[in-house]
Amino acid sequence: MKKYVCDLCGWEYDPAQGLPEAGIEPGTAFEDLPDDFECPLCGVGKDQFSEE
C-alpha cells in the first residue's frame, strides 16, 4: 500500500501501521479513512495529503 504525507507538516500515514490510537486498524487504506480524518499533528484534512 502507498504511504501518504501531510503537505503542511510532513506527517506520514502508513496504511500498514494504521493509526491505532485514533481507532484506525493496521491495513486501512488511505482511501478508506473517514472523510473527517485529520492529520494528528496539525489538524488538516485528507485533501491536504499527497501520495508518497
Side-chain angles (χ1 to χ4, degrees):
M1 285 190 237
K2 298 176 184 173
K3 296 178 183 178
Y4 287 79
V5 177
C6 177
D7 295 333
L8 187 63
C9 73
W11 181 81
E12 179 180 272
Y13 176 72
D14 182 351
Q17 295 180 1
L19 193 60
E21 59 272 22
I24 299 168
E25 295 296 319
T28 303
F30 185 80
E31 296 81 12
D32 294 334
L33 293 175
D35 290 337
D36 61 353
F37 175 80
E38 295 179 344
C39 175
L41 291 185
C42 69
V44 298
K46 282 175 65 173
D47 62 333
Q48 297 296 311
F49 280 72
S50 297
E51 198 176 296
E52 186 174 68

